[in-house]
Amino acid sequence: MGIEETSHELRPLSGDPQPRAIKMAPQTRAQKMKKCFGENLLTMLTVAGVVGGGVLGFTLRASKPIWTPREVMYVQFIGDLFLNMLKGLIIPLLVSSIVAAIGSLDLTLSSKIGFRAITYYVATTTLAVFQGIVLVNVIKPGKNQGSSNITRTGSSRNVTTADTLMDLARNMFPPNLLQAATHQYRTVLSYDPSKNDQVDPILRQDRYNLYSWNIDHEFTEGSNVLGLVVFSVILGIAIGRMGELGKPLLKVFESMSEAMMVITNWVIWMSPVGVLFLVSSKILSMESIGTVISQLGLYFFTVLLGLFCHGFIVIPLIYTVGTRKSPFKFIANMSQAIVTAFGTASSSASLPVSMACLEEKNHCDERVSRFVMPIGATINMDGTALYEAVAALFIAQVRNVEYGFGNIVAVSITATMASIGAAGIPQAGLVTMVMVLDTVGLPAEDVTLIIAVDWLLDRFRTTVNVLGDALGAGLVEHLSKDELDALDALGEPESVKKKASNANHQNEWCNTPM
Ligand code: ASP
């Protein structure tokens, strides 16, 4: 029962009179299950890590109501190690992959691939924002809920929309690449009472008059990933145009990118334990979940519904229409990346895992995955865009601020910009939210109304962000297949070698020796 016989008939070799039939060992159902189990062991363990982390967190919380920051730090320690390992890979992987992928393509093909990816990003982000706006206007989670009912937590930044957009543009062109690896540019507004005393008495009454605020510029801690992406794209294009002279440099980046993928294949095995401790420590340090859900439950539900529709209906549908392939297997093959995104709440930290899933399980051409994934992880955040739109309009509803069609259009544009500007790190969307709030005339400090549930929503939106990037890469690869094949047919030695090297390290982590 359950035995399938497979036989492969080989054509006779010259001088070999008889066709030779080779009987492959029959595969029993048990063997098949074992193979399937082996291939998905790590993903199953990682899912168990998330669930186990939840159980552990709530059990520890029940055993002792208040946990000191030191105790939480001990629980988080292993999770931090895992996160650091992934974070350490981000910059070398991102820079080398983009440079190597773009440098190995000719300019026409790389601009076609780039154009397709950007079109997909713009289309899906716009759709995400649109869904968010429709849902928040239908469900109206903030109506009949005064802001005084909601506990404010955390603090906010005091900047304007113009500052946020200009910071985004400044960060695209870092003055110092080494510094960009560790710091990013930021405008800081500080109130200067002495200046206020000098202004016209009528103006003085308005504390927010422009004369009394100093504009300072500072570099704050945190990698300027956007700046590094822009530079890598430019360097890749330059190498592609240099011909023979650029080849040695291209080789360095190719080799570096490959090395980072090898390390990723090792680090990935830390995921189950890493996410277990990340999730459990987060549960230990959170506010009382009951209060939070009673205050913000409907808002939470609206965002979650939107994320689910977008991540599991809209973008898979776009993928299916574009590729005429079923998205289920593709998404199932990305499970490891999806769980990592949920566990780390960071699309940048999940990037190595997403690229490994894409190349080794979905067999995506690495010239596409290494080109579009790092860019997608930096600028394409559908989940964040949807959340920004819902959150801003939710706060407007809570504060009873009327908003018309004009505001809705402005929210759509700023939510899209805010998602592009948000870094792929935990709760970055909250920081860029300020400019979306500004468009409906709300003060920056109103983000404190939604901070309580943000850590949890962040995990869901990061999952959708990562899924959106992966499906986009799959779609772009499909649309570019003919051109890539034509490049291979030209006998481009580099691309042929790349395919071979990909095949060599394929399935290193998804095929567990059993
Ligand atoms: N945590 C998100 C990400 O890394 C960004 C955000 O929405 O806060 O994709």
Side-chain angles (χ1 to χ4, degrees):
M1 191 192 75
I3 296 181
E4 278 174 20
E5 294 234 337
T6 23
S7 80
H8 290 266
E9 199 161 271
L10 299 182
R11 268 189 284 136
L13 293 170
S14 49
D16 192 352
Q18 294 299 317
R20 300 172 304 145
I22 296 184
K23 287 251 190 265
M24 299 278 283
Q27 248 197 350
T28 62
R29 184 167 292 168
Q31 278 170 326
K32 275 189 185 167
M33 278 178 65
K34 198 172 163 187
K35 182 168 173 269
C36 172
F37 186 72
E39 278 174 7
N40 297 306
L41 176 69
L42 184 61
T43 308
M44 288 189 279
L45 286 176
T46 315
V47 173
V50 172
V51 178
V55 173
L56 180 67
F58 282 111
T59 315
L60 291 178
R61 224 182 138 101
S63 70
K64 184 168 169 290
I66 298 176
W67 285 70
T68 65
R70 173 161 288 274
E71 287 165 335
V72 175
M73 179 193 77
Y74 287 141
V75 177
Q76 198 174 325
F77 179 65
I78 304 280
D80 277 343
L81 290 184
F82 168 63
L83 207 55
N84 284 355
M85 288 179 202
L86 284 179
K87 282 185 185 168
L89 291 171
I90 301 170
I91 292 181
L93 175 66
L94 177 131
V95 172
S96 60
S97 300
I98 298 180
V99 177
I102 299 184
S104 68
L105 298 170
D106 63 60
L107 196 55
T108 331
L109 184 49
S110 50
S111 37
K112 272 188 189 162
I113 294 179
F115 177 75
R116 282 171 192 146
I118 300 285
T119 310
Y120 168 86
Y121 297 158
V122 173
T124 52
T125 306
T126 311
L127 276 174
V129 171
F130 179 73
Q131 282 171 84
I133 289 176
V134 169
L135 283 176
V136 79
N137 280 302
V138 171
I139 302 176
K140 295 197 170 40
K143 284 276 171 221
N144 311 319
Q145 179 161 36
S147 56
S148 52
N149 296 337
I150 304 177
T151 325
R152 288 174 181 267
T153 36
S155 59
S156 64
R157 257 183 85 204
N158 200 354
V159 278
T160 66
T161 304
D163 295 329
T164 316
L165 289 177
M166 283 162 84
D167 283 352
L168 188 63
R170 287 189 189 106
N171 275 323
M172 286 168 83
F173 305 102
N176 179 336
L177 284 178
L178 294 183
Q179 186 195 35
T182 55
H183 285 76
Q184 49 178 277
Y185 187 89
R186 195 169 89 160
T187 301
V188 183
L189 302 184
S190 55
Y191 179 63
D192 186 345
S194 65
K195 280 202 176 143
N196 198 29
D197 292 344
Q198 294 161 18
V199 296
D200 184 279
I202 299 179
L203 256 180
R204 199 183 304 163
Q205 288 165 7
D206 175 12
R207 187 172 176 265
Y208 290 97
N209 74 72
L210 295 178
Y211 297 97
S212 316
W213 288 83
N214 286 327
I215 301 180
D216 300 317
H217 304 287
E218 62 174 33
F219 282 94
T220 61
E221 264 181 45
S223 310
N224 173 9
V225 178
L226 188 61
L228 294 174
V229 165
V230 171
F231 184 80
S232 309
V233 171
I234 295 169
L235 182 60
I237 295 174
I239 290 179
R241 292 183 65 127
M242 279 168 69
E244 278 310 306
L245 203 56
K247 289 268 156 60
L249 196 51
L250 179 62
K251 272 262 159 286
V252 171
F253 284 107
E254 278 177 352
S255 180
M256 175 75 130
S257 158
E258 206 57 38
M260 290 306 124
M261 291 310 289
V262 171
I263 301 177
T264 301
N265 281 319
W266 298 333
V267 174
I268 236 170
W269 283 98
M270 273 284 287
S271 325
V273 188
V275 295
L276 185 133
F277 288 107
L278 283 176
V279 171
S280 53
S281 58
K282 195 70 220 180
I283 289 174
L284 278 187
S285 58
M286 74 186 180
E287 311 269 318
S288 157
I289 193 101
T291 332
V292 165
I293 293 293
S294 68
Q295 290 172 349
L296 294 167
L298 207 49
Y299 156 71
F300 188 84
F301 168 76
T302 311
V303 178
L304 219 54
L305 182 66
L307 290 177
F308 178 81
C309 292
H310 187 73
F312 293 94
I313 300 173
V314 177
I315 38 177
L317 212 62
I318 294 177
Y319 172 85
T320 308
V321 171
T323 61
R324 317 223 167 245
K325 284 191 237 165
S326 151
F328 301 115
K329 182 127 202 308
F330 189 96
I331 296 178
N333 282 338
M334 293 304 299
S335 325
Q336 187 67 35
I338 291 174
V339 186
T340 310
F342 187 84
T344 61
S346 163
S347 17
S348 293
S350 312
L351 178 67
V353 185
S354 326
M355 283 171 59
C357 287
L358 205 57
E359 290 175 12
E360 293 168 19
K361 286 198 150 192
N362 277 322
H363 308 298
C364 181
D365 190 309
E366 61 182 53
R367 288 166 293 184
V368 173
S369 67
R370 294 187 189 190
F371 180 176
V372 302
M373 279 305 277
I375 299 179
T378 312
I379 62 168
N380 180 41
M381 297 192 185
D382 297 356
T384 304
L386 186 146
Y387 140 88
E388 301 260 357
V390 174
L393 295 181
F394 164 74
I395 296 173
Q397 291 173 354
V398 168
R399 302 283 245 107
N400 262 325
V401 174
E402 288 301 320
Y403 53 86
F405 183 71
N407 296 101
I408 290 185
V409 174
V411 165
S412 324
I413 298 169
T414 44
T416 307
M417 295 306 290
S419 72
I420 296 172
I425 56 170
Q427 301 194 319
L430 209 56
V431 180
T432 51
M433 168 76 72
V434 175
M435 75 178 174
V436 193
L437 285 180
D438 205 26
T439 58
V440 262
L442 289 167
E445 70 251 21
D446 272 359
V447 292
T448 55
L449 291 169
I450 51 164
I451 288 182
V453 282
D454 200 67
W455 69 272
L456 190 53
L457 278 182
D458 189 18
R459 287 163 196 265
F460 290 105
R461 60 182 192 253
T462 309
T463 305
V464 172
N465 291 346
V466 167
L467 194 58
D469 296 338
L471 285 164
L475 178 61
V476 171
E477 191 217 18
H478 179 85
L479 299 177
S480 316
K481 201 139 198 76
D482 291 346
E483 287 127 331
L484 290 166
D485 286 347
L487 193 68
D488 290 339
L490 276 180
E492 274 280 320
E494 291 311 318
S495 50
V496 174
K497 258 187 256 159
K498 272 170 148 229
K499 284 202 155 177
S501 88
N502 195 14
N504 280 343
H505 77 82
Q506 228 163 51
N507 292 343
E508 259 172 25
W509 58 274
C510 52
N511 275 342
T512 327
M514 295 283 290

